[in-house]
Amino acid sequence: MSRKSNVVTVRLTDEQLKVFTDWKEKLEGELGIDVPLGAVIRRALDGAIHMYNQRMEHDAKAENNPDEHALRTKGANAYINDYKEGK
């Protein structure tokens, strides 16, 4: 018998539920098997956590490299200025 030690409760908005349900139905159509909604949500959360961890690693490296940090800051400021000017 196995025990689940990591249980997460997720509350979804109606819009989020629709997105995950649509994704589930698409996967079922492509794979031809039943895909549990929980598996779809878990996969999405795993992806979000992975992206967050990659960003944290990248930011930590950028802090150790002032030139890269300065370039990213300059690029971000240029993007914000273009957005504010409506370009």
Side-chain angles (χ1 to χ4, degrees):
M1 181 194 286
S2 65
R3 285 184 18 180
K4 293 182 179 179
S5 59
N6 296 324
V7 178
V8 176
T9 301
V10 178
R11 293 178 188 232
L12 302 173
T13 64
D14 290 340
E15 184 177 330
Q16 290 168 327
L17 179 60
K18 179 167 179 11
V19 168
F20 287 124
T21 302
D22 290 347
W23 189 11
K24 172 188 178 315
E25 291 171 358
K26 180 180 178 190
L27 284 171
E28 288 176 340
E30 290 176 359
L31 300 174
I33 61 173
D34 182 41
V35 179
L37 185 58
V40 173
I41 295 169
R42 183 181 67 240
R43 185 69 174 161
L45 289 172
D46 287 347
I49 290 167
H50 180 72
M51 285 176 45
Y52 174 80
N53 288 337
Q54 283 185 324
R55 174 172 270 166
M56 291 296 103
E57 288 174 13
H58 184 267
D59 288 350
K61 289 178 185 175
E63 287 178 7
N64 295 331
N65 184 349
D67 293 335
E68 182 180 342
H69 182 71
L71 286 173
R72 288 188 322 130
T73 302
K74 183 178 178 181
N77 288 337
Y79 176 82
I80 291 169
N81 288 338
D82 288 350
Y83 179 80
K84 285 180 180 178
E85 292 174 7
K87 289 184 180 178

Coordinates of all heavy atoms in Angstrom, one line a residue:
M1 N 0.8 -1.2 0.0 CA 0.0 0.0 0.0 C 0.9 1.2 0.0 O 1.9 1.3 0.7 CB -0.9 0.0 1.2 CG -1.8 1.2 1.3 SD -2.6 1.5 2.9 CE -3.8 0.2 2.9
S2 N 0.5 2.2 -0.8 CA 1.3 3.4 -0.9 C 0.6 4.6 -0.2 O -0.6 4.5 -0.1 CB 1.6 3.8 -2.3 OG 0.4 4.1 -3.0
R3 N 1.3 5.5 0.3 CA 0.8 6.6 1.0 C 1.2 7.9 0.3 O 2.3 8.0 -0.2 CB 1.3 6.8 2.4 CG 0.6 5.8 3.4 CD 1.1 6.0 4.8 NE 1.7 7.3 5.0 CZ 2.1 7.7 6.2 NH1 2.1 6.9 7.2 NH2 2.6 8.9 6.3
K4 N 0.3 8.8 0.1 CA 0.6 10.1 -0.5 C 1.0 11.0 0.6 O 0.2 11.3 1.5 CB -0.6 10.6 -1.2 CG -1.0 9.8 -2.4 CD -2.1 10.4 -3.2 CE -2.5 9.6 -4.4 NZ -3.6 10.2 -5.1
S5 N 2.2 11.5 0.5 CA 2.7 12.5 1.6 C 2.6 13.9 1.1 O 2.6 14.8 2.0 CB 4.1 12.1 2.0 OG 4.9 12.1 0.9
N6 N 2.6 14.1 -0.2 CA 2.5 15.5 -0.7 C 1.2 15.7 -1.3 O 1.0 15.4 -2.5 CB 3.6 15.8 -1.7 CG 5.0 15.6 -1.0 OD1 5.2 16.0 0.1 ND2 5.9 15.1 -1.8
V7 N 0.2 16.3 -0.6 CA -1.1 16.6 -1.1 C -1.3 18.1 -1.2 O -1.0 18.8 -0.3 CB -2.2 15.9 -0.2 CG1 -3.6 16.3 -0.8 CG2 -2.0 14.4 -0.2
V8 N -1.8 18.5 -2.4 CA -2.0 20.0 -2.6 C -3.4 20.2 -3.0 O -4.0 19.4 -3.8 CB -1.1 20.5 -3.7 CG1 -1.4 22.0 -4.0 CG2 0.4 20.3 -3.3
T9 N -4.1 21.1 -2.3 CA -5.4 21.5 -2.7 C -5.4 22.7 -3.6 O -4.7 23.7 -3.2 CB -6.3 21.7 -1.5 OG1 -6.3 20.6 -0.7 CG2 -7.7 22.1 -1.9
V10 N -6.0 22.7 -4.7 CA -6.0 23.8 -5.7 C -7.4 24.3 -5.9 O -8.3 23.5 -6.2 CB -5.4 23.3 -7.0 CG1 -5.3 24.5 -8.0 CG2 -4.0 22.8 -6.8
R11 N -7.6 25.5 -5.8 CA -8.9 26.1 -6.1 C -8.8 26.9 -7.4 O -7.9 27.7 -7.6 CB -9.3 27.1 -5.0 CG -9.7 26.4 -3.7 CD -10.1 27.4 -2.7 NE -10.2 26.7 -1.4 CZ -11.2 26.8 -0.6 NH1 -12.2 27.6 -0.9 NH2 -11.2 26.1 0.5
L12 N -9.6 26.5 -8.3 CA -9.5 27.1 -9.7 C -10.7 28.0 -9.9 O -11.8 27.8 -9.5 CB -9.5 26.0 -10.7 CG -8.4 25.0 -10.7 CD1 -8.7 23.9 -11.7 CD2 -7.1 25.6 -10.9
T13 N -10.4 29.1 -10.7 CA -11.5 29.9 -11.1 C -12.2 29.2 -12.2 O -11.7 28.2 -12.8 CB -11.0 31.3 -11.7 OG1 -10.2 31.0 -12.8 CG2 -10.2 32.1 -10.6
D14 N -13.4 29.6 -12.6 CA -14.1 29.0 -13.7 C -13.3 29.0 -15.0 O -13.3 28.1 -15.8 CB -15.5 29.7 -14.0 CG -16.5 29.4 -12.8 OD1 -16.3 28.4 -12.1 OD2 -17.5 30.1 -12.7
E15 N -12.6 30.1 -15.2 CA -11.8 30.3 -16.4 C -10.6 29.3 -16.4 O -10.3 28.7 -17.4 CB -11.3 31.7 -16.5 CG -10.5 32.0 -17.8 CD -10.1 33.5 -17.9 OE1 -10.8 34.3 -17.4 OE2 -9.0 33.7 -18.5
Q16 N -10.0 29.2 -15.3 CA -8.9 28.2 -15.2 C -9.3 26.8 -15.4 O -8.7 26.0 -16.0 CB -8.2 28.4 -13.8 CG -7.4 29.7 -13.6 CD -7.0 29.9 -12.2 OE1 -7.7 29.5 -11.2 NE2 -5.9 30.5 -12.0
L17 N -10.5 26.5 -14.8 CA -11.0 25.1 -14.9 C -11.3 24.8 -16.4 O -11.0 23.7 -16.9 CB -12.3 25.0 -14.1 CG -13.0 23.6 -14.2 CD1 -12.1 22.5 -13.7 CD2 -14.3 23.6 -13.4
K18 N -11.8 25.8 -17.1 CA -12.1 25.6 -18.5 C -10.8 25.4 -19.3 O -10.7 24.5 -20.2 CB -12.8 26.8 -19.1 CG -13.1 26.7 -20.6 CD -14.1 27.7 -21.2 CE -14.3 27.6 -22.6 NZ -13.9 26.4 -23.4
V19 N -9.8 26.1 -19.0 CA -8.5 26.0 -19.7 C -7.9 24.6 -19.5 O -7.5 23.9 -20.4 CB -7.4 27.0 -19.2 CG1 -6.0 26.7 -19.7 CG2 -7.8 28.4 -19.7
F20 N -7.9 24.1 -18.2 CA -7.4 22.8 -17.9 C -8.3 21.7 -18.5 O -7.8 20.7 -18.9 CB -7.2 22.6 -16.4 CG -6.1 23.4 -15.8 CD1 -6.2 24.3 -14.8 CD2 -4.8 23.2 -16.3 CE1 -5.2 25.0 -14.3 CE2 -3.7 23.9 -15.8 CZ -3.9 24.8 -14.8
T21 N -9.6 21.9 -18.5 CA -10.5 20.9 -19.0 C -10.3 20.8 -20.5 O -10.3 19.7 -21.1 CB -12.0 21.2 -18.7 OG1 -12.1 21.3 -17.3 CG2 -12.9 20.2 -19.2
D22 N -10.1 21.9 -21.2 CA -9.9 21.9 -22.6 C -8.6 21.2 -23.0 O -8.5 20.4 -23.9 CB -9.8 23.4 -23.2 CG -11.2 24.0 -23.2 OD1 -12.2 23.3 -23.0 OD2 -11.2 25.3 -23.4
W23 N -7.5 21.5 -22.1 CA -6.2 20.9 -22.3 C -6.4 19.3 -22.1 O -5.8 18.5 -22.9 CB -5.3 21.4 -21.3 CG -3.8 21.0 -21.5 CD1 -3.3 20.4 -22.6 CD2 -2.8 21.3 -20.6 NE1 -1.9 20.2 -22.4 CE2 -1.6 20.7 -21.2 CE3 -2.7 21.9 -19.4 CZ2 -0.3 20.8 -20.6 CZ3 -1.4 21.9 -18.8 CH2 -0.3 21.4 -19.3
K24 N -7.1 18.9 -21.1 CA -7.4 17.5 -20.8 C -8.0 16.8 -22.0 O -7.6 15.8 -22.5 CB -8.3 17.4 -19.6 CG -8.8 16.0 -19.3 CD -9.8 16.1 -18.1 CE -10.4 14.8 -17.7 NZ -10.9 13.9 -18.7
E25 N -9.1 17.5 -22.6 CA -9.8 16.9 -23.7 C -8.9 16.8 -24.9 O -9.0 15.8 -25.7 CB -11.0 17.7 -24.0 CG -12.1 17.6 -22.9 CD -13.3 18.6 -23.1 OE1 -13.3 19.4 -24.0 OE2 -14.2 18.5 -22.2
K26 N -8.0 17.8 -25.1 CA -7.1 17.8 -26.3 C -6.1 16.6 -26.1 O -5.9 15.9 -27.1 CB -6.3 19.1 -26.4 CG -5.4 19.2 -27.5 CD -4.6 20.5 -27.6 CE -3.6 20.5 -28.7 NZ -2.7 21.6 -28.7
L27 N -5.6 16.4 -24.9 CA -4.7 15.3 -24.7 C -5.4 14.0 -24.9 O -4.8 13.1 -25.5 CB -4.1 15.4 -23.3 CG -3.0 16.5 -23.0 CD1 -2.7 16.5 -21.5 CD2 -1.8 16.1 -23.8
E28 N -6.6 13.9 -24.4 CA -7.3 12.6 -24.6 C -7.5 12.3 -26.1 O -7.4 11.2 -26.5 CB -8.6 12.7 -23.8 CG -8.5 12.6 -22.3 CD -9.8 12.8 -21.5 OE1 -10.8 13.3 -22.1 OE2 -9.8 12.4 -20.4
G29 N -7.8 13.4 -26.8 CA -8.0 13.2 -28.3 C -6.8 12.8 -29.0 O -6.8 11.9 -29.9
E30 N -5.6 13.4 -28.6 CA -4.4 13.0 -29.2 C -3.8 11.7 -28.8 O -3.2 10.9 -29.6 CB -3.3 14.1 -28.9 CG -3.6 15.4 -29.5 CD -2.6 16.5 -29.1 OE1 -1.7 16.2 -28.3 OE2 -2.7 17.7 -29.6
L31 N -4.0 11.3 -27.5 CA -3.4 10.1 -27.0 C -4.4 8.9 -27.0 O -3.9 7.8 -27.0 CB -3.0 10.3 -25.5 CG -2.0 11.4 -25.3 CD1 -1.8 11.6 -23.8 CD2 -0.7 11.1 -26.0
G32 N -5.7 9.2 -27.1 CA -6.6 8.1 -27.1 C -6.8 7.4 -25.8 O -7.3 6.3 -25.8
I33 N -6.4 8.0 -24.7 CA -6.6 7.5 -23.4 C -7.2 8.5 -22.4 O -7.2 9.7 -22.7 CB -5.2 7.0 -22.8 CG1 -4.3 8.2 -22.6 CG2 -4.6 5.9 -23.6 CD1 -3.0 7.8 -21.9
D34 N -7.8 8.0 -21.3 CA -8.4 8.9 -20.3 C -7.2 9.6 -19.6 O -6.3 8.9 -19.1 CB -9.2 8.1 -19.4 CG -9.9 9.0 -18.3 OD1 -10.4 10.1 -18.7 OD2 -10.0 8.6 -17.2
V35 N -7.3 10.9 -19.5 CA -6.3 11.6 -18.7 C -7.0 12.3 -17.6 O -7.9 13.1 -17.7 CB -5.6 12.7 -19.7 CG1 -4.6 13.5 -18.9 CG2 -5.0 12.1 -20.9
P36 N -6.6 12.0 -16.3 CA -7.2 12.6 -15.2 C -6.9 14.1 -15.1 O -5.8 14.5 -15.4 CB -6.5 11.9 -14.0 CG -5.9 10.7 -14.5 CD -5.6 11.0 -16.0
L37 N -7.9 14.9 -14.7 CA -7.7 16.3 -14.6 C -6.6 16.7 -13.7 O -5.9 17.6 -13.9 CB -9.0 17.0 -14.3 CG -9.0 18.5 -14.2 CD1 -8.7 19.1 -15.6 CD2 -10.4 19.0 -13.8
G38 N -6.5 15.9 -12.6 CA -5.5 16.2 -11.6 C -4.1 16.0 -12.2 O -3.2 16.8 -11.8
A39 N -3.9 15.1 -13.1 CA -2.6 15.0 -13.8 C -2.3 16.2 -14.6 O -1.1 16.6 -14.7 CB -2.6 13.7 -14.6
V40 N -3.3 16.7 -15.3 CA -3.1 17.9 -16.1 C -2.7 19.1 -15.2 O -1.7 19.8 -15.5 CB -4.4 18.2 -16.9 CG1 -4.2 19.5 -17.7 CG2 -4.7 17.1 -17.9
I41 N -3.4 19.3 -14.1 CA -3.1 20.4 -13.2 C -1.7 20.2 -12.6 O -0.9 21.1 -12.5 CB -4.2 20.5 -12.2 CG1 -5.5 20.9 -12.8 CG2 -3.8 21.5 -11.1 CD1 -6.7 20.8 -11.9
R42 N -1.4 19.0 -12.2 CA -0.1 18.7 -11.6 C 1.0 19.0 -12.5 O 2.1 19.6 -12.2 CB 0.0 17.2 -11.1 CG 1.3 16.9 -10.4 CD 1.4 15.5 -9.9 NE 1.5 14.6 -11.1 CZ 0.6 13.6 -11.4 NH1 -0.4 13.4 -10.6 NH2 0.8 12.9 -12.4
R43 N 0.9 18.6 -13.8 CA 1.9 18.9 -14.8 C 2.1 20.4 -15.0 O 3.2 20.8 -15.2 CB 1.5 18.2 -16.1 CG 2.5 18.3 -17.2 CD 3.7 17.4 -16.9 NE 4.6 17.4 -18.0 CZ 5.8 17.1 -17.9 NH1 6.4 16.7 -16.8 NH2 6.6 17.2 -19.0
A44 N 1.0 21.1 -15.0 CA 1.1 22.6 -15.2 C 1.8 23.2 -14.0 O 2.7 24.1 -14.2 CB -0.3 23.2 -15.3
L45 N 1.5 22.7 -12.8 CA 2.2 23.2 -11.6 C 3.7 22.9 -11.6 O 4.5 23.7 -11.3 CB 1.5 22.7 -10.3 CG 0.2 23.2 -10.0 CD1 -0.4 22.5 -8.8 CD2 0.2 24.7 -9.7
D46 N 4.0 21.6 -12.0 CA 5.4 21.2 -12.1 C 6.1 22.1 -13.1 O 7.3 22.6 -12.9 CB 5.5 19.8 -12.6 CG 5.1 18.8 -11.6 OD1 5.0 19.1 -10.4 OD2 4.9 17.6 -11.9
G47 N 5.5 22.5 -14.2 CA 6.1 23.4 -15.2 C 6.3 24.8 -14.7 O 7.4 25.4 -14.9
A48 N 5.4 25.2 -13.9 CA 5.5 26.6 -13.3 C 6.6 26.6 -12.3 O 7.4 27.6 -12.2 CB 4.1 27.0 -12.7
I49 N 6.7 25.6 -11.5 CA 7.7 25.5 -10.5 C 9.1 25.4 -11.2 O 10.1 26.1 -10.7 CB 7.5 24.3 -9.5 CG1 6.3 24.6 -8.7 CG2 8.8 24.0 -8.7 CD1 5.8 23.3 -7.9
H50 N 9.2 24.6 -12.2 CA 10.5 24.5 -13.0 C 10.9 25.9 -13.5 O 12.1 26.3 -13.4 CB 10.3 23.5 -14.1 CG 11.5 23.3 -14.9 ND1 12.7 22.6 -14.4 CD2 11.8 23.6 -16.2 CE1 13.6 22.6 -15.3 NE2 13.1 23.2 -16.4
M51 N 9.9 26.6 -14.1 CA 10.3 27.9 -14.7 C 10.7 28.9 -13.6 O 11.6 29.6 -13.8 CB 9.0 28.4 -15.5 CG 8.8 27.8 -16.8 SD 7.3 28.3 -17.7 CE 7.4 30.1 -17.5
Y52 N 10.0 28.8 -12.5 CA 10.4 29.7 -11.4 C 11.8 29.4 -10.9 O 12.6 30.3 -10.7 CB 9.4 29.5 -10.2 CG 9.8 30.3 -9.0 CD1 9.5 31.6 -8.8 CD2 10.5 29.7 -7.9 CE1 9.9 32.3 -7.7 CE2 10.8 30.3 -6.8 CZ 10.5 31.7 -6.7 OH 10.9 32.4 -5.6
N53 N 12.1 28.1 -10.7 CA 13.5 27.7 -10.3 C 14.5 28.2 -11.3 O 15.6 28.6 -10.9 CB 13.5 26.2 -10.0 CG 12.8 25.8 -8.8 OD1 12.6 26.6 -7.9 ND2 12.4 24.6 -8.8
Q54 N 14.3 28.0 -12.6 CA 15.2 28.5 -13.6 C 15.4 30.0 -13.5 O 16.5 30.5 -13.7 CB 14.7 28.1 -15.0 CG 14.9 26.7 -15.4 CD 14.5 26.4 -16.8 OE1 13.6 26.9 -17.3 NE2 15.3 25.5 -17.4
R55 N 14.3 30.7 -13.3 CA 14.5 32.2 -13.2 C 15.3 32.6 -12.0 O 16.1 33.5 -12.1 CB 13.1 32.8 -13.2 CG 13.2 34.3 -12.9 CD 11.8 35.0 -13.0 NE 11.7 35.4 -14.4 CZ 10.6 35.7 -15.0 NH1 9.5 35.7 -14.3 NH2 10.6 36.1 -16.2
M56 N 15.1 31.9 -10.9 CA 15.8 32.2 -9.7 C 17.3 31.9 -9.9 O 18.2 32.7 -9.5 CB 15.3 31.4 -8.5 CG 13.9 31.8 -8.0 SD 13.9 33.5 -7.3 CE 13.1 34.4 -8.7
E57 N 17.6 30.8 -10.6 CA 19.0 30.4 -10.8 C 19.6 31.5 -11.8 O 20.8 31.9 -11.6 CB 19.1 29.1 -11.5 CG 18.9 27.9 -10.6 CD 18.8 26.6 -11.3 OE1 19.3 26.5 -12.5 OE2 18.4 25.6 -10.7
H58 N 18.9 31.9 -12.8 CA 19.4 32.9 -13.7 C 19.6 34.2 -13.0 O 20.6 34.9 -13.2 CB 18.4 33.1 -14.9 CG 18.9 34.0 -15.9 ND1 18.6 35.4 -15.9 CD2 19.7 33.8 -17.0 CE1 19.1 35.9 -16.9 NE2 19.8 35.0 -17.6
D59 N 18.7 34.6 -12.1 CA 18.8 35.9 -11.4 C 20.0 35.8 -10.5 O 20.7 36.8 -10.3 CB 17.5 36.2 -10.6 CG 16.4 36.6 -11.5 OD1 16.6 36.9 -12.7 OD2 15.2 36.7 -11.0
A60 N 20.2 34.7 -9.8 CA 21.4 34.6 -8.9 C 22.7 34.7 -9.7 O 23.6 35.4 -9.3 CB 21.3 33.2 -8.2
K61 N 22.7 34.1 -10.9 CA 23.9 34.3 -11.8 C 24.1 35.7 -12.2 O 25.2 36.2 -12.3 CB 23.8 33.4 -13.0 CG 24.0 31.9 -12.6 CD 23.8 31.0 -13.9 CE 23.9 29.6 -13.5 NZ 23.6 28.7 -14.7
A62 N 23.0 36.4 -12.5 CA 23.0 37.8 -13.0 C 23.5 38.7 -11.9 O 24.3 39.7 -12.2 CB 21.7 38.2 -13.5
E63 N 23.2 38.4 -10.7 CA 23.6 39.2 -9.6 C 25.1 39.1 -9.4 O 25.8 40.1 -9.0 CB 22.9 38.8 -8.3 CG 21.5 39.3 -8.2 CD 20.8 38.8 -6.9 OE1 21.5 38.3 -6.0 OE2 19.6 39.0 -6.9
N64 N 25.7 38.0 -9.8 CA 27.1 37.8 -9.7 C 27.9 38.4 -10.9 O 29.1 38.4 -10.9 CB 27.5 36.3 -9.5 CG 27.0 35.7 -8.2 OD1 26.8 36.4 -7.2 ND2 26.6 34.4 -8.2
N65 N 27.1 38.7 -11.9 CA 27.7 39.3 -13.1 C 27.1 40.7 -13.4 O 26.0 40.8 -14.0 CB 27.4 38.4 -14.3 CG 28.1 38.9 -15.6 OD1 28.6 40.0 -15.6 ND2 28.1 38.0 -16.6
P66 N 27.7 41.7 -12.8 CA 27.1 43.1 -12.9 C 26.8 43.5 -14.4 O 25.8 44.2 -14.6 CB 28.1 44.0 -12.3 CG 29.0 43.1 -11.5 CD 28.9 41.7 -12.1
D67 N 27.6 43.1 -15.3 CA 27.4 43.5 -16.7 C 26.1 43.0 -17.3 O 25.4 43.6 -17.9 CB 28.6 43.1 -17.6 CG 29.9 43.8 -17.2 OD1 29.8 44.9 -16.7 OD2 31.0 43.2 -17.5
E68 N 25.9 41.7 -17.0 CA 24.7 41.0 -17.5 C 23.4 41.7 -16.8 O 22.5 42.0 -17.5 CB 24.7 39.5 -17.2 CG 23.4 38.9 -17.7 CD 23.4 37.4 -17.4 OE1 24.4 36.8 -17.1 OE2 22.3 36.8 -17.5
H69 N 23.6 42.0 -15.5 CA 22.5 42.6 -14.8 C 22.2 44.0 -15.4 O 21.0 44.4 -15.6 CB 22.8 42.7 -13.3 CG 21.7 43.3 -12.5 ND1 20.5 42.7 -12.3 CD2 21.6 44.5 -11.9 CE1 19.7 43.5 -11.5 NE2 20.4 44.6 -11.3
A70 N 23.2 44.7 -15.7 CA 23.0 46.1 -16.3 C 22.4 46.0 -17.6 O 21.5 46.8 -18.0 CB 24.4 46.8 -16.4
L71 N 22.8 45.0 -18.5 CA 22.2 44.9 -19.8 C 20.7 44.5 -19.7 O 19.9 45.0 -20.4 CB 22.9 43.8 -20.6 CG 24.3 44.2 -21.1 CD1 25.0 43.0 -21.7 CD2 24.2 45.3 -22.1
R72 N 20.4 43.6 -18.7 CA 19.0 43.2 -18.6 C 18.1 44.4 -18.1 O 17.0 44.6 -18.5 CB 18.8 42.0 -17.6 CG 19.3 40.7 -18.2 CD 19.0 39.5 -17.4 NE 19.2 39.7 -16.0 CZ 18.2 39.4 -15.1 NH1 17.2 38.8 -15.4 NH2 18.5 39.6 -13.8
T73 N 18.7 45.2 -17.2 CA 18.0 46.3 -16.7 C 17.8 47.4 -17.8 O 16.7 47.9 -17.9 CB 18.8 47.0 -15.5 OG1 18.9 46.0 -14.5 CG2 18.1 48.2 -14.9
K74 N 18.8 47.6 -18.6 CA 18.7 48.5 -19.7 C 17.6 48.1 -20.7 O 16.8 48.9 -21.1 CB 20.0 48.7 -20.4 CG 20.0 49.7 -21.5 CD 21.4 49.7 -22.1 CE 21.4 50.7 -23.3 NZ 22.8 50.8 -23.9
G75 N 17.6 46.8 -21.0 CA 16.6 46.2 -21.9 C 15.2 46.3 -21.3 O 14.2 46.7 -22.1
A76 N 15.0 46.1 -20.1 CA 13.7 46.2 -19.4 C 13.2 47.6 -19.4 O 12.1 47.9 -19.7 CB 13.8 45.6 -18.0
N77 N 14.1 48.5 -19.1 CA 13.7 50.0 -19.1 C 13.3 50.4 -20.5 O 12.4 51.2 -20.7 CB 14.9 50.8 -18.6 CG 15.0 50.6 -17.1 OD1 14.1 50.2 -16.4 ND2 16.2 50.9 -16.6
A78 N 14.1 50.0 -21.5 CA 13.7 50.3 -22.9 C 12.3 49.8 -23.3 O 11.5 50.5 -23.9 CB 14.8 49.8 -23.9
Y79 N 12.1 48.6 -22.9 CA 10.7 48.0 -23.2 C 9.6 48.8 -22.5 O 8.6 49.1 -23.1 CB 10.7 46.5 -22.7 CG 9.4 45.9 -22.8 CD1 9.0 45.4 -24.1 CD2 8.5 45.8 -21.8 CE1 7.7 44.8 -24.2 CE2 7.3 45.2 -21.9 CZ 6.9 44.7 -23.1 OH 5.6 44.1 -23.3
I80 N 9.8 49.1 -21.2 CA 8.8 49.9 -20.5 C 8.6 51.3 -21.1 O 7.5 51.7 -21.3 CB 9.3 50.0 -19.0 CG1 9.2 48.7 -18.3 CG2 8.4 51.0 -18.3 CD1 9.8 48.6 -16.9
N81 N 9.7 51.9 -21.5 CA 9.6 53.2 -22.1 C 8.8 53.1 -23.5 O 7.9 54.0 -23.8 CB 10.9 53.9 -22.4 CG 11.6 54.3 -21.1 OD1 10.9 54.6 -20.1 ND2 12.9 54.4 -21.1
D82 N 9.1 52.1 -24.3 CA 8.4 51.9 -25.5 C 6.9 51.6 -25.3 O 6.1 52.1 -26.0 CB 9.0 50.7 -26.3 CG 10.3 51.1 -26.9 OD1 10.7 52.3 -26.9 OD2 11.0 50.1 -27.4
Y83 N 6.6 50.9 -24.2 CA 5.2 50.6 -23.9 C 4.5 51.8 -23.5 O 3.4 52.1 -24.0 CB 5.2 49.5 -22.8 CG 3.8 49.2 -22.4 CD1 3.0 48.3 -23.1 CD2 3.2 49.7 -21.2 CE1 1.7 48.0 -22.7 CE2 2.0 49.4 -20.8 CZ 1.2 48.5 -21.6 OH -0.1 48.2 -21.2
K84 N 5.1 52.6 -22.7 CA 4.5 53.9 -22.2 C 4.3 54.8 -23.4 O 3.3 55.6 -23.4 CB 5.4 54.5 -21.1 CG 5.3 53.8 -19.8 CD 6.2 54.6 -18.8 CE 6.1 53.9 -17.4 NZ 7.0 54.6 -16.5
E85 N 5.2 54.8 -24.3 CA 5.0 55.7 -25.5 C 4.1 55.2 -26.5 O 3.8 55.8 -27.5 CB 6.4 56.0 -26.1 CG 7.3 56.8 -25.2 CD 8.7 56.9 -25.7 OE1 9.0 56.5 -26.8 OE2 9.6 57.5 -25.0
G86 N 3.6 53.9 -26.3 CA 2.7 53.3 -27.3 C 3.3 52.8 -28.6 O 2.7 52.7 -29.6
K87 N 4.6 52.4 -28.5 CA 5.3 51.9 -29.7 C 4.9 50.5 -29.9 O 4.7 49.7 -29.1 CB 6.8 52.1 -29.6 CG 7.2 53.5 -29.7 CD 8.7 53.6 -29.6 CE 9.1 55.1 -29.7 NZ 10.6 55.2 -29.6

